[in-house]
C-alpha cells in the first residue's frame, strides 16, 4: 500500500468482510484508539511498528478533530510506516 506522508496525520485503512462493508474506511486521521488483551491503546503519527488483536471498537479522530466510531468486535491491527491497517473479523 503506497500512501503519501502527511505531517501530523496517520493513514487508516479498515478492511471488513463483505457483509460488513459499511465499516470500510480509507483516509487520514489524527489518532486511532482501541482495546486489546492488555487494555486500551492509542496510535499516533509515527507510531512504532506493531501488530495486535483489537477486542473493542476502533475510535479515530479525523483531520478536523471529529471522532469516528467503528463497531468492531475483533480485528487485527497492523501498524507500520505510518499506516494503520485493521482487518475486521479475521
Amino acid at each position: 500500500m503506497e500512501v503519501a506522508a502527511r505531517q501530523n496525520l496517520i493513514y487508516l485503512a479498515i478492511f471488513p468482510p463483505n457483509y460488513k462493508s459499511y465499516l470500510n474506511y480509507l483516509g487520514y486521521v489524527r489518532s486511532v484508539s482501541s482495546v486489546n488483551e492488555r487494555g486500551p491503546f492509542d496510535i499516533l503519527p509515527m507510531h512504532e511498528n506493531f501488530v495486535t488483536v483489537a477486542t473493542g471498537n476502533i475510535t479515530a479522530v479525523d483531520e478536523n478533530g471529529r471522532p469516528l466510531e467503528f463497531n468492531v468486535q475483533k480485528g487485527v491491527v497492523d501498524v507500520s510506516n505510518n499506516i494503520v491497517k485493521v482487518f475486521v473479523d479475521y
Side-chain angles (χ1 to χ4, degrees):
M1 176 176 266
E2 187 79 24
V3 177
R6 292 185 55 190
Q7 190 168 345
N8 298 322
L9 297 173
I10 190 166
Y11 194 80
L12 174 62
I14 298 181
F15 302 106
N18 288 337
Y19 64 92
K20 289 189 176 182
S21 62
Y22 59 90
L23 289 174
N24 189 44
Y25 182 85
L26 299 171
Y28 287 95
V29 297
R30 293 182 183 182
S31 65
V32 178
S33 302
S34 191
V35 178
N36 64 14
E37 65 183 16
R38 292 180 159 210
F41 65 89
D42 299 308
I43 302 166
L44 300 171
M46 304 311 295
H47 194 283
E48 286 285 321
N49 297 346
F50 87 113
V51 176
T52 191
V53 176
T55 56
N57 289 344
I58 304 292
T59 303
V61 176
D62 75 9
E63 294 180 79
N64 299 313
R66 291 183 302 247
L68 304 171
E69 287 283 333
F70 301 95
N71 187 1
V72 174
Q73 297 297 315
K74 193 176 199 182
V76 174
V77 177
D78 174 47
V79 181
S80 63
N81 300 320
N82 214 35
I83 300 171
V84 177
K85 294 180 236 168
V86 180
F87 301 93
V88 179
D89 293 345
Y90 61 96

